[in-house]
Amino acid sequence: MNSHCVKSMNSSLSIFKPFLFLILFHCSHCAILGTGTDKQALLAFKMQITHDPSQALSSWNESHHVCQWQGVTCSSRHKRVTNIDLHYFNLTGKISPFIGNLSFLRSINLINNSFHGEIPHEIGRLFRLQRIHFSFNMLQGRIPVNLTRCSELVILDLVDNNFEGTIHNELGSLLNLKALNNLSGNIPRTLSNISLLEQLSLSENRLNGDIPVELGKLSKLWRFQLSVNDLTGSIPNELFNLSSMEYFGVSENHLVGEIPSYIGLTLPNVGVFMLAGNIFTGQIPNSISNLSQVAVLDFANNKFTGPIPANLGGLKILYQLNFERNHLGTANGSDDLKFLNSLVNCTLIDVISFSSNELRG
């Protein structure tokens, strides 16, 4: 390369140097502004805390960098707040709407505190948010419908609060959601659109109406917990065909119908199977002897009739067997208690109850 070309390149670079400096300064300035915004948002959050018995937020002050505050995690590159974890600190207060300014936030965990008031609508601005854990608080009001704008949301955990209103149909647009806990009203059919959903835990609410047949499309569902509600109708057979199912709980509702005879063949992975406190009829299928992974089998307080399946000895990890308060038994009663012989192989069993039936022998 001749000297003329070198001089020309140096001249060109010298022209761009001020612009390069401005770009670098701008990026650095943005990072500083961003961290400052996060700090102010968290200080506003702290201002809403009225009781902090363990002094969990004592480090939240100007003498510490925001990334060093307890319960706060920042990104390594931009030093922006990505995670807030304040579970089990017995904090009392409200969730500040300034939480919506934490634009890099991916997870917030406030489990087992005493937060009250409503979930601020501003959370719907957090488009990077993936996990919301607000269980075991005293939150009230309606769940903001604009949470559906958090399109990356994977876990929405709201168990044991005091929310009002129904489940929003729009939740079906959260296509990345894997766990949905604690809502009320009818169960929207649109939840079947959340093809990645793995956990549906809606126990101890005010759910009513039928269980939508469309939920049988959720091929990744392994936890189905709808106990202690006001659900009616029958359980769609499609749900009994989900081989991914590990926890199936619909106790204490008003569900009716018979249990399919093939149940023990289509739920090979179920470990907890609870149907107690409903109005199920018909016989307990013999095929339940194939549920080799089951630990809890609770069919109490229904209207089941006929014999108890005789070959339950193959259920090697069975811990709890509860068939009480049904109408189990046969006309002649000669073999009603035959099932007890096979239970000697269930060495882990701790609870057996079959009282208040029509068993003889």
Side-chain angles (χ1 to χ4, degrees), residues 19 55 110 139 160 191 202 205 213 216 231 235-236 337 345 349:
F19 296 100
Q55 297 296 303
L110 304 179
L139 294 168
D160 202 356
L191 293 184
L202 304 173
N205 284 283
V213 64
L231 296 169
I235 300 175
L337 301 180
N345 297 318
I349 201 161

Side-chain angles (χ1 to χ4, degrees), residues 141-145 147 156 158 163-171 180 182-188 191 202 205-208:
R142 295 180 177 271
I143 297 167
V145 67
L147 281 181
L156 180 57
L158 307 172
F163 294 116
E164 303 170 355
T166 60
I167 304 176
H168 300 301
N169 285 320
E170 290 84 354
L171 285 177
L180 177 61
N182 220 84
L183 300 166
S184 58
N186 291 327
I187 302 174
L191 293 184
L202 304 173
N205 284 283
R206 297 179 297 277
L207 292 175
N208 51 58

Side-chain angles (χ1 to χ4, degrees), residues 21-38:
F21 172 78
L22 286 174
I23 291 171
L24 291 172
F25 173 79
H26 177 72
C27 292
S28 175
H29 186 59
C30 286
I32 293 170
L33 285 176
T35 302
T37 300
D38 290 352

Side-chain angles (χ1 to χ4, degrees), residues 66-361:
V66 64
C67 298
Q68 296 175 329
W69 292 0
Q70 180 162 334
V72 175
T73 303
C74 295
S75 60
S76 56
R77 182 179 179 187
H78 297 294
K79 303 301 179 185
R80 300 297 303 273
V81 173
T82 58
N83 181 46
I84 300 173
D85 188 354
L86 298 173
H87 71 290
Y88 290 96
F89 281 126
N90 295 315
L91 299 170
T92 300
K94 294 184 177 181
I95 301 175
S96 168
F98 285 95
I99 203 79
N101 290 342
L102 299 172
S103 56
F104 278 69
L105 194 66
R106 288 179 168 78
S107 176
I108 179 168
N109 186 349
L110 304 179
I111 287 176
N112 204 13
N113 286 286
S114 296
F115 284 97
H116 55 272
E118 299 186 352
I119 296 176
H121 291 268
E122 288 79 2
I123 284 186
R125 300 204 301 249
L126 303 177
F127 66 93
R128 292 183 173 92
L129 194 60
Q130 297 175 354
R131 292 174 174 82
I132 295 176
H133 296 281
F134 288 167
S135 290
F136 305 105
N137 281 281
M138 297 183 291
L139 294 168
Q140 305 156 312
R142 295 180 177 271
I143 297 167
V145 67
N146 67 350
L147 281 181
T148 57
R149 297 178 186 172
C150 304
S151 58
E152 298 298 315
L153 204 60
V154 173
I155 295 175
L156 180 57
D157 182 5
L158 307 172
V159 170
D160 202 356
N161 281 281
N162 301 309
F163 294 116
E164 303 170 355
T166 60
I167 304 176
H168 300 301
N169 285 320
E170 290 84 354
L171 285 177
S173 65
L174 294 174
L175 301 182
N176 293 307
L177 202 64
K178 293 184 179 180
L180 177 61
N181 302 330
N182 220 84
L183 300 166
S184 58
N186 291 327
I187 302 174
R189 302 180 188 280
T190 54
L191 293 184
S192 63
N193 296 332
I194 311 174
S195 60
L196 297 179
L197 194 65
E198 297 177 358
Q199 301 182 56
L200 186 61
S201 298
L202 304 173
S203 60
E204 298 186 53
N205 284 283
R206 297 179 297 277
L207 292 175
N208 51 58
D210 295 341
I211 298 175
V213 64
E214 289 84 357
L215 297 184
K217 299 177 183 177
L218 300 173
S219 60
K220 296 185 182 298
L221 194 66
W222 65 265
R223 183 179 180 88
F224 185 70
Q225 171 60 299
L226 302 181
S227 296
V228 195
N229 281 289
D230 294 312
L231 296 169
T232 55
S234 59
I235 300 175
N237 286 341
E238 287 79 0
L239 284 169
F240 290 130
N241 292 327
L242 294 177
S243 60
S244 58
M245 195 70 71
E246 297 179 19
Y247 189 111
F248 195 103
V250 294
S251 298
E252 306 301 328
N253 281 285
H254 310 289
L255 299 169
V256 301
E258 298 187 5
I259 307 304
S261 60
Y262 54 78
I263 192 73
L265 304 176
T266 55
L267 296 177
N269 297 304
V270 72
V272 175
F273 197 9
M274 300 192 301
L275 306 180
N278 284 285
I279 321 170
F280 293 117
T281 55
Q283 295 191 5
I284 296 176
N286 286 319
S287 66
I288 66 167
S289 60
N290 295 312
L291 299 175
S292 60
Q293 300 301 311
V294 74
V296 176
L297 200 56
D298 189 353
F299 291 179
N301 197 18
N302 279 283
K303 296 184 180 299
F304 288 113
T305 57
I308 294 177
N311 187 21
L312 298 178
L315 307 181
K316 301 297 185 183
I317 62 173
L318 187 64
Y319 174 80
Q320 177 179 324
L321 178 66
N322 191 355
F323 289 161
E324 67 184 25
R325 287 173 291 159
N326 279 283
H327 302 294
L328 296 169
T330 59
N332 57 36
S334 59
D335 292 326
D336 282 357
L337 301 180
K338 185 179 179 180
F339 72 95
L340 291 174
N341 295 329
S342 67
L343 290 179
V344 298
N345 297 318
C346 303
T347 57
L348 299 179
I349 201 161
D350 185 66
V351 177
I352 304 175
S353 183
F354 49 90
S355 62
S356 301
N357 278 286
E358 299 170 16
L359 301 167
R360 291 174 292 173

